[in-house]
Amino acid sequence: STQSTWASNEIEFVCRHLPPYAVASLFGALSRELSKGHHLEFCLRWIVVLLVQHSSIVERSNLQSELKEIQRAIINKTSSLTPICDTNQYTMEYLVQVARHSSHHKNDNKIQIEDQEPTIETNPISVDPDPEIKKEKTKKKKKSLPKKKKKKKKKKKN
C-alpha cells in the first residue's frame, strides 16, 4: 500500500509545510482512520510528527475534541491488542523453551551446537505440564536405584 511507503522524513516534510488551519482537520482524519483499525503504525507516526511540529498550534487552539478522539482510539487499540500480544509473548517463550529442550535431547551424543539466544526477552518457563509428575518420577528413580553395600573390613588375626 502507498501508506507503508511513506518515510518518516516525508511525513515530517508534509507536516512542516502544513498550514495551521489544516492541523485540526488532519487530526480528525487520523483519529477516524485509527478508529477503523487500519494502518496503526502509519497513523501514530503522523500523530507524533504533527504534535511535535505543531505543538504551539495544539496549545493555542481548541483541539480537545480531536485529541480526545485520538486518545479514545488509542485506548481501544491498546485494550484489543494487549491480550493478543500477551498470548504471542507466552507462545514465543514456550516455543523457545521447547526448542531448547528438544535440541538438548537430540544432541546428547553429538557435538553441541551453540544455542542462539532469542531476540525477545524471555523468562524461563517450565516445559513440564505438572511439577508433581516430575517429583513422582524423581522419587521412583531414587527407589529403583540399588543401594551400595558397605563392605566391612575383616581384621586379620596374627
Side-chain angles (χ1 to χ4, degrees), residues 10 27 77 88 97 104-105 107 121 145 153 156:
E10 292 171 324
F27 272 129
K77 285 292 163 202
N88 286 345
Q97 292 298 323
H104 288 297
H105 287 302
N107 295 326
E121 289 186 23
L145 292 176
K153 293 184 181 179
K156 293 182 182 178

Side-chain angles (χ1 to χ4, degrees), residues 89 92-94 96-97 100 117-125:
Q89 178 185 356
M92 291 300 295
E93 289 173 359
Y94 175 77
V96 167
Q97 292 298 323
R100 284 184 182 162
E117 288 298 319
T119 56
I120 59 171
E121 289 186 23
T122 60
N123 295 328
I125 58 173

Side-chain angles (χ1 to χ4, degrees), residues 52-155:
V52 170
Q53 294 285 333
H54 295 284
S55 59
S56 60
I57 294 171
V58 172
E59 290 173 357
R60 286 184 281 138
S61 300
N62 189 13
L63 296 176
Q64 278 94 14
S65 63
E66 288 86 356
L67 294 176
K68 282 188 180 189
E69 284 300 316
I70 289 171
Q71 181 183 21
R72 189 174 299 123
I74 290 172
I75 289 170
N76 288 339
K77 285 292 163 202
T78 302
S79 63
S80 66
L81 289 176
T82 298
I84 295 168
C85 293
D86 288 344
T87 301
N88 286 345
Q89 178 185 356
Y90 298 134
T91 302
M92 291 300 295
E93 289 173 359
Y94 175 77
L95 291 174
V96 167
Q97 292 298 323
V98 168
R100 284 184 182 162
H101 182 72
S102 67
S103 72
H104 288 297
H105 287 302
K106 285 180 183 177
N107 295 326
D108 279 345
N109 297 325
K110 297 178 183 177
I111 298 173
Q112 292 290 329
I113 299 172
E114 288 184 14
D115 290 337
Q116 292 181 348
E117 288 298 319
T119 56
I120 59 171
E121 289 186 23
T122 60
N123 295 328
I125 58 173
S126 174
V127 179
D128 293 330
D130 188 0
E132 293 299 319
I133 294 172
K134 189 174 183 179
K135 287 180 186 176
E136 289 176 21
K137 288 180 183 178
T138 307
K139 286 180 184 177
K140 287 179 183 177
K141 284 183 184 178
K142 285 182 182 176
K143 288 180 183 176
S144 64
L145 292 176
K147 293 182 180 178
K148 293 182 181 179
K149 294 182 180 178
K150 293 182 182 178
K151 293 183 181 179
K152 294 182 181 178
K153 293 184 181 179
K154 294 181 181 178
K155 291 184 181 179

